[in-house]
Amino acid sequence: PNRFIPTDLSIKARGASTAQGGGGGAARRVKPALLLNTDSVRLHFLQDERFGRPKAFAFVSLRTPQLYESAAAAAQAELYAALLSDALQDVTYQAARAGLSAGASVGWQGLSLSLSGYDQRLPELAALVADSLRTFDVAPLAFERQRDGLLRQLRGADKRQPVEQAAYRRNLALETPRYTNEQLAAGLEKATLPQVLGLQRRLLPEVEVEALLCGNVAEGQATQLVLKLLNALGSRPLPVARRPVRRVRVLPAGERTLQQFVAASQAEVNSATEVYFQVGGDEADDWVLLTLLSQLMSKAFYSELRTKQQLGYIVQCSANEIDGVRGLSFLVQSKVAAPEAVEERIEAFLRLFRGTLLLLGEAEVQSYAASIAAQFTDVDGRLDQQAGRLWAECTRRRYDFERPWRSAEKVKRLTREQLIAFFDRHVASGSPTRRQLSTHVYAQSMAPPQLRVQLPGDDFYPAPRDLLLDV
C-alpha cells in the first residue's frame, strides 16, 4: 500500500469555504503569522479560511553563501541540484502518485525546497526530502549526463534571441555577485564526481532557514515540520554578517552608459536594442508611478515603433525589478535597423510622448489608475497563487503581505502632475537625474568595427533591508 495516500481530508479552519472551486469573490487581505523568529529559523504560517481544500504548500529557503562563493562553487551547486531533482523523482514516486510533489533548486541565496499536496502527508514528504539531501546516490553515468546537459545549456546561451542576450548583459552589468555563462561553463568542465559528492557530504554547515506553510495546516503541524527539517540538517545558525547579499550598481545620473556586443551566431539576422532607465529602490510612490507610466507608454511605444515604423516583431516597454531596484526598459529586436538607429527612434518617441502626457486630462489619468488598481488586487484566485505571492514577499525579505491593496490605494491617489514630474526625473531626454544603460546586441552583418563597453562603476544601492530582523 502507498503510505502517502491521505486518510484524513477534514478541513481544519472553521467556516472555510467548501464550495466546488472554493475561494469565490474578491481576494481577502491576509497576513501570515510569524510562529518562529530565531537566529536559525523563521517560520511564517497561514491557515486557509477561504479555499476549503485539504491541501497545503510548504516553501523552505536554506540560505547559505556556500553555493555561490565562486563560479566553481555555483557550477557544482547547479550540478548537485540537477542530480537531487533526478533523485527526488525516484524517492518521491509513491508520494507523487498520491498527489504530492517536491522540488529543489539552487541560486545565489542557497538551496530552495518546495512541497505541496494533501496536508496530512506533507510532514512525511518533508522528512523524506530532508533525509535525501545528503544521502541520495549519485551514479557516475547520471553525473556525466547531467553535467553534459548543463554544459549544453550554458554553451548554447549565446545562441538565444538577441533580446534575451541584451537582458542577460544588462543584469550582468548591474548585479554583483553574478557569474557569466562562460565562467559557469568553465566551472562545470572542471567539476568532478568526488567534488560533487564532497559538496553533498558538507552541505549546509551553516544555514539560515526561512519557511512558509500555507493551506490546510495547524500551527503545531507547521512548527513540527520545520523543526524536524532543522534536526535532519543539523546545521549551525548562519551569522547575520555571512548572509548572502546581492548588490545592484547605481548608474551615473545624467549620463548614458553604453555596452555593445555581437551575436555569436552567423545565422542571426536580428539585432537587439535595450534602453533601460534605472529608477531606484521601493520608495514613496515611485513603484506605482512606474507601473502607471509603463502601462501608458506600452501601447503607444508598440504602435509607433512596431505598427507605424515596422522596426521589428519584438517591441516592448515594461517596468521591472532587479533585486529590489526598479527600472523601465524599452526593448526592440530588428533586422532592418542597427541598434544605434533604433536607440535614436526610442529617444524620438520619448520626446513625442512627453507631449502626450501634457495633453492627458486628469480624468483620463484616473481612469488608467482605476484599471491598474483593479489589476493590483486581482490576486489569490487559487490557493497555490496565494501561497506563491506570500512566499515572494518572504524571499525578498519585504514581508509586505498586503501590498496589492496598499498599492491599489496609492495608485488611485496619483495625479497628472506627479506622473509628469516622475517622467521628467527618470525618463525625459536631457534630464540631469536620468540614469540610463543602453545595451546593443548586433547581428554580425551589422556590427561596427569597434565595440564600446562602458562599466557602471562600483557605487551600489543599499541591500534590501530585512524588515523582520529586529522583531
Side-chain angles (χ1 to χ4, degrees):
N2 187 340
R3 65 187 175 99
F4 289 100
I5 294 175
T7 58
D8 180 4
L9 302 179
S10 61
I11 304 303
K12 294 179 173 57
R14 294 182 179 180
S17 171
T18 55
Q20 184 65 34
R28 308 170 190 171
R29 300 188 185 210
V30 293
K31 183 178 181 179
L34 190 61
L35 298 187
L36 297 171
N37 188 22
T38 71
D39 291 342
S40 59
V41 62
R42 184 176 287 172
L43 170 60
H44 308 269
F45 165 79
L46 180 69
Q47 186 178 76
D48 171 47
E49 297 180 351
R50 180 183 177 202
F51 298 97
R53 291 289 176 265
K55 293 190 175 183
F57 291 84
F59 299 98
V60 183
S61 178
L62 304 170
R63 297 192 181 108
T64 174
Q66 180 191 20
L67 304 183
Y68 208 78
E69 58 190 358
S70 68
Q76 291 174 30
E78 287 286 353
L79 190 47
Y80 165 82
L83 292 162
L84 173 62
S85 296
D86 261 6
L88 288 180
Q89 286 188 2
D90 292 335
V91 300
T92 65
Y93 174 74
Q94 291 296 327
R97 295 195 65 185
L100 290 93
S101 65
S105 62
V106 296
W108 65 270
Q109 291 196 71
L111 177 64
S112 296
L113 305 176
S114 60
L115 311 167
S116 64
Y118 292 102
D119 62 277
Q120 183 190 13
R121 302 306 185 196
L122 214 59
E124 295 174 62
L125 178 62
L128 181 62
V129 171
D131 183 63
S132 299
L133 295 179
R134 295 196 186 104
T135 61
F136 72 89
D137 292 329
V138 182
L141 285 177
F143 170 83
E144 294 296 339
R145 184 180 72 251
Q146 290 294 349
R147 187 177 66 168
D148 290 347
L150 289 172
L151 277 170
R152 281 195 300 272
Q153 289 179 28
L154 289 168
R155 289 168 177 164
D158 61 0
K159 305 296 194 302
R160 294 174 183 165
Q161 286 198 96
V163 287
E164 296 179 61
Q165 295 181 45
Y168 160 71
R169 292 291 183 179
R170 176 242 296 156
N171 289 341
L172 200 61
L174 293 177
E175 295 175 307
T176 186
R178 187 183 178 103
Y179 303 112
T180 67
N181 292 328
E182 292 78 10
Q183 289 173 317
L184 294 173
L188 275 175
E189 287 172 349
K190 296 176 182 177
T192 65
L193 179 56
Q195 286 176 329
V196 174
L197 292 174
L199 170 63
Q200 184 185 31
R201 287 193 303 271
R202 300 187 305 273
L203 188 69
L204 307 174
E206 297 178 325
V207 69
E208 177 203 5
V209 179
E210 183 154 23
L212 167 70
L213 267 80
C214 181
N216 191 45
V217 285
E219 288 189 12
Q221 201 179 0
T223 304
Q224 184 182 35
L225 186 151
V226 171
L227 292 179
K228 281 187 175 180
L229 176 64
L230 270 177
N231 290 335
L233 291 173
S235 306
R236 300 185 302 275
L238 179 68
V240 172
R242 284 181 42 76
R243 286 181 177 178
V245 175
R246 176 175 272 177
R247 306 292 296 277
V248 178
R249 290 180 172 86
V250 180
L251 293 171
E255 297 181 20
R256 167 183 178 252
T257 303
L258 174 65
Q259 51 177 2
Q260 299 176 317
F261 307 93
V262 179
S265 173
Q266 290 185 342
E268 182 58 70
V269 297
N270 290 291
S271 297
T273 306
E274 185 191 66
V275 179
Y276 168 79
F277 298 113
Q278 193 175 61
V279 172
D282 191 7
E283 299 174 359
D285 292 334
D286 278 0
W287 168 233
V288 289
L289 281 164
L290 179 60
T291 304
L292 177 56
L293 181 63
S294 69
Q295 293 214 13
L296 280 167
M297 299 187 81
S298 182
K299 288 183 180 179
F301 184 65
Y302 184 88
S303 176
E304 180 64 29
L305 274 72
R306 168 70 186 98
T307 306
K308 293 181 182 178
Q309 299 186 27
Q310 297 188 356
L311 289 182
Y313 286 102
I314 299 178
V315 175
Q316 299 171 353
C317 164
S318 61
N320 57 36
E321 178 181 353
I322 303 171
D323 295 309
V325 176
R326 313 287 184 174
L328 183 66
S329 291
F330 296 86
L331 187 60
V332 177
Q333 182 165 292
S334 176
K335 63 179 178 182
V336 299
E340 60 269 19
V342 171
E343 186 169 343
E344 289 175 3
R345 305 283 186 94
I346 293 172
E347 287 289 356
F349 167 80
L350 295 179
R351 291 190 292 270
L352 182 68
F353 189 79
R354 192 181 189 282
T356 302
L357 281 180
L358 292 174
L359 294 173
L360 270 181
E362 195 68 53
E364 193 172 359
V365 171
Q366 291 305 312
S367 176
Y368 272 102
S371 174
I372 292 171
Q375 293 173 34
F376 278 148
T377 55
D378 185 18
V379 295
D380 300 354
R382 301 191 310 266
L383 178 59
D384 62 322
Q385 293 174 343
Q386 182 184 75
R389 179 181 69 81
L390 298 175
W391 182 236
E393 291 293 326
C394 298
T395 58
R396 291 180 172 95
R397 298 187 188 273
R398 194 168 58 193
Y399 311 109
D400 189 1
F401 299 112
E402 297 185 3
R403 186 179 184 82
W405 295 273
R406 287 198 318 102
S407 297
E409 291 163 2
K410 278 187 173 184
V411 78
K412 289 177 184 178
R413 294 195 296 265
L414 297 182
T415 65
R416 172 179 169 274
E417 286 71 24
Q418 285 178 290
L419 190 63
I420 293 171
F422 180 85
F423 178 88
D424 287 345
R425 188 163 63 252
H426 295 292
V427 183
S429 297
S431 168
T433 54
R434 185 171 83 166
R435 302 179 187 275
Q436 176 182 349
L437 175 62
S438 295
T439 304
H440 298 169
V441 178
Y442 289 87
Q444 292 188 13
S445 60
M446 287 188 176
Q450 287 190 326
L451 300 175
R452 293 175 60 191
V453 179
Q454 298 173 311
L455 300 177
D458 286 328
D459 185 16
F460 296 96
Y461 284 98
R465 287 176 53 232
D466 181 346
L467 298 181
L468 292 182
L469 189 59
D470 299 324
V471 173

